[in-house]
Amino acid sequence: MNPESLDTEWVERFPGLSRLEPKTKTLLVQRSTVVIMPEKTVIFGPGKSPENMLFLLSGTVRVQQVSETGHEIVLYRINAGESCVLTTACLLAYDDYSAEGIAESEVQAAAVPRQVFDDLVAQSPSFRNFVFAAFSKRITDLFLVIDEVAFQRMDVRLAHKLIELSKGNHQISTTHQKLSVELGTAREVISRQLQEFQRRGWVAQSRGTVKILDRTKLESLADRD
Amino acid sequence: MNPESLDTEWVERFPGLSRLEPKTKTLLVQRSTVVIMPEKTVIFGPGKSPENMLFLLSGTVRVQQVSETGHEIVLYRINAGESCVLTTACLLAYDDYSAEGIAESEVQAAAVPRQVFDDLVAQSPSFRNFVFAAFSKRITDLFLVIDEVAFQRMDVRLAHKLIELSKGNHQISTTHQKLSVELGTAREVISRQLQEFQRRGWVAQSRGTVKILDRTKLESLADRD
DNA sequence: AACGCTTATGTGACTTTGTCACTGATAGAA
DNA sequence: TTCTATCAGTGACAAAGTCACATAAGCGTT
């Protein structure tokens, strides 16, 4: 994929947008620019409202919240093929809140100016559909987060998160601290849970990495409601 | 306010909609119907997707979630002057989730068919603005709920909720069970916290009611971050 | 190799919150 | 009055969060 074709054809590769009306696609391509941001870029955050809507072509953005108590929790991730409309819209309306978006890897994204976004919503039924579906997905995800934080046991949540973060690999590069932010808990809690998993032979630990030894056992714990 | 003027002029009384283009207002009024639902009506819920978008003219709708574990938590309320677009949109997209909307009092609402809603979004910039602002408000509210559930102490949350539910009155008609659902915790926890508040002379309890004796003290606890 | 520095992890004591299995209390309805 | 449903109180215990540390592992410097 060379930069040339990226500029003109990213819409085709975007799952939710490839079925747009040709006219809409043209508008989207002509009025947007592809940007590349390095890992750890703070894409939006307190006092840093993005002026564009982003459509992620590659990489992932982690959206997390910093509480007034100093605690942190990961709210959700935006993956390639998804857009930031929700968060962006929120920030435009209420820029005094504490969520921030951080590039977890190098990120390629198409930046669409707000005005163009508004035009597209007006013009294209299928674009509207895409936008509302994106909103819906986020909302239901947030409902799920609330449910988990409020009612799920820590061991179940951790098992679930380990499976999720492993993405099929047998090893995860992360620290106890980072895992605690994923789940909105304290590092010590993660340390103890991982020790218990290790004692049971489900995982192996070394500084900065967690190895998954028995995925099946972890999954069966994670699937407990 | 007689039913006649309700049917034709509710848009004018709706904070977010009164500044719409005249053409849009006409469309909204002509293509919607005012409905009245009694208290405790389940407006939407598992297996009960609403076919219309509702604009609440009076009353409140409580949106709560029932976890697979059997636990419940109140997510937010829709008050007069607000709309259900978010929840409705969600339900249309993912009807397999567990949130439900319940009328907390008699509810008057304007029901707008989905097709009309879509047309309005396409036609009217100010309607789009209204819709996206509504989405944004909900999202930021949900972020707040997550923060509270994950990081706030129970006593702080309960004090906050008592102030909120009292709406300036010095007495709240509710049970410990209902309060526990508000905060997504167990009844026993509420009972103990209220006992502590009572011991300190901040509240007085009787079956089914909580009296606020020292609002100032409750507020200062609630304002702790 | 030895040192110091930073970051990561381990641990015990304690508090807060959630769970379970009850008991007792209250207000209506029969 | 007595029955019944709902509401509230309680003690024992488990799970999770907090605090104040102690170790340890990696890494660059000397």
Side-chain angles (χ1 to χ4, degrees), chain A residues 32-225:
Chain A
S32 66
T33 50
V34 172
V35 295
I36 295 182
M37 289 168 287
E39 193 181 340
K40 295 180 186 171
T41 305
V42 177
I43 297 172
F44 55 85
K48 188 173 186 300
S49 296
E51 63 284 6
N52 296 313
M53 308 279 171
L54 295 181
F55 291 82
L56 248 68
L57 305 177
S58 73
T60 65
V61 175
R62 186 179 71 244
V63 179
Q64 66 189 35
Q65 175 154 244
V66 184
S67 170
E68 291 179 338
T69 59
H71 293 112
E72 291 179 82
I73 184 169
V74 173
L75 298 168
Y76 55 85
R77 287 183 165 75
I78 303 157
N79 295 300
E82 299 175 342
S83 72
C84 291
V85 277
L86 177 144
T87 319
T88 308
C90 289
L91 286 163
L92 296 172
Y94 304 86
D95 57 353
D96 62 331
Y97 79 175
S98 53
E100 56 181 6
I102 299 165
E104 279 201 308
S105 57
E106 183 180 270
V107 162
Q108 287 187 323
V112 180
R114 190 139 57 114
Q115 179 56 51
V116 178
F117 178 83
D118 199 59
D119 289 351
L120 286 164
V121 170
Q123 279 184 25
S124 165
S126 46
F127 188 80
R128 276 199 292 280
N129 214 54
F130 171 81
V131 169
F132 284 112
F135 269 77
S136 302
K137 180 76 169 66
R138 285 285 167 257
I139 303 282
T140 49
D141 282 356
L142 287 177
F143 283 3
L144 250 163
V145 170
I146 291 173
D147 193 280
E148 282 176 8
V149 170
F151 305 128
Q152 290 269 43
R153 288 176 52 99
M154 244 2 269
D155 51 358
V156 173
R157 295 177 61 203
L158 179 57
H160 191 270
K161 186 56 74 176
L162 289 175
I163 296 295
E164 183 189 319
L165 291 176
S166 73
K167 293 183 231 164
N169 302 324
H170 66 293
Q171 189 165 324
I172 310 169
S173 290
T174 188
T175 64
H176 295 185
Q177 177 61 47
K178 283 177 186 165
L179 286 170
S180 74
V181 171
E182 291 285 338
L183 301 177
T185 183
R187 179 192 56 77
E188 297 93 318
V189 174
I190 299 293
S191 295
R192 275 165 227 175
Q193 294 288 357
L194 283 178
Q195 274 175 66
E196 178 60 21
F197 288 175
Q198 190 170 40
R199 195 187 63 75
R200 296 185 195 172
W202 297 358
V203 304
Q205 296 187 74
S206 56
R207 189 187 169 91
T209 59
V210 178
K211 272 204 187 78
I212 295 180
L213 299 180
D214 192 336
R215 180 175 296 267
T216 315
K217 288 275 175 56
L218 280 176
E219 279 170 345
S220 74
L221 177 58
D223 286 345
R224 275 207 206 146
D225 308 326

Side-chain angles (χ1 to χ4, degrees), chain B:
Chain B
M1 185 65 58
N2 61 57
E4 185 69 13
S5 67
L6 248 185
D7 274 344
T8 55
E9 299 188 300
W10 62 265
V11 171
E12 298 300 336
R13 298 191 297 118
F14 213 94
L17 300 180
S18 57
R19 260 168 274 153
L20 289 185
E21 303 84 349
K23 181 181 147 197
T24 312
K25 279 185 192 171
T26 309
L27 179 61
L28 200 48
V29 168
Q30 285 181 345
R31 302 288 305 277
S32 66
T33 50
V34 173
V35 296
I36 296 182
M37 290 169 286
E39 194 181 340
K40 294 182 186 168
T41 305
V42 177
I43 295 173
F44 55 83
K48 189 173 186 300
S49 295
E51 63 283 6
N52 297 311
M53 308 280 172
L54 295 180
F55 292 81
L56 249 67
L57 305 178
S58 72
T60 66
V61 176
R62 186 178 70 243
V63 179
Q64 64 189 38
Q65 175 154 243
V66 184
S67 170
E68 291 179 338
T69 58
H71 293 112
E72 292 178 81
I73 184 170
V74 173
L75 298 169
Y76 54 85
R77 286 183 165 76
I78 303 157
N79 296 300
E82 300 176 340
S83 74
C84 291
V85 279
L86 176 146
T87 319
T88 309
C90 289
L91 286 162
L92 296 172
Y94 304 87
D95 57 353
D96 62 330
Y97 80 175
S98 53
E100 56 181 7
I102 299 165
E104 279 200 309
S105 56
E106 183 179 89
V107 161
Q108 287 188 322
V112 180
R114 190 137 66 108
Q115 179 57 51
V116 177
F117 178 83
D118 199 59
D119 289 350
L120 285 164
V121 171
Q123 281 184 25
S124 164
S126 46
F127 189 79
R128 277 200 291 281
N129 213 54
F130 171 80
V131 169
F132 284 114
F135 268 78
S136 303
K137 179 76 169 64
R138 284 286 166 253
I139 303 282
T140 47
D141 282 356
L142 287 176
F143 283 3
L144 249 163
V145 170
I146 291 173
D147 192 281
E148 280 177 9
V149 170
F151 305 128
Q152 288 271 40
R153 289 178 53 98
M154 251 350 279
D155 51 358
V156 174
R157 295 177 62 204
L158 180 56
H160 192 271
K161 187 56 76 175
L162 289 175
I163 296 294
E164 182 188 320
L165 292 177
S166 72
K167 292 182 233 166
N169 302 322
H170 66 293
Q171 187 165 326
I172 308 169
S173 290
T174 188
T175 65
H176 295 185
Q177 177 61 46
K178 282 178 185 165
L179 285 169
S180 74
V181 171
E182 291 286 339
L183 301 177
T185 183
R187 180 191 56 77
E188 296 93 319
V189 175
I190 298 293
S191 295
R192 273 167 235 179
Q193 294 288 358
L194 282 179
Q195 274 174 63
E196 178 60 21
F197 287 175
Q198 190 170 41
R199 195 188 64 74
R200 296 186 195 171
W202 297 358
V203 303
Q205 296 186 74
S206 57
R207 189 187 169 91
T209 59
V210 178
K211 272 204 187 78
I212 295 180
L213 299 181
D214 193 335
R215 178 175 297 266
T216 313
K217 287 274 174 57
L218 281 175
E219 279 170 346
S220 75
L221 177 58
D223 287 344
R224 275 208 207 144
D225 308 327

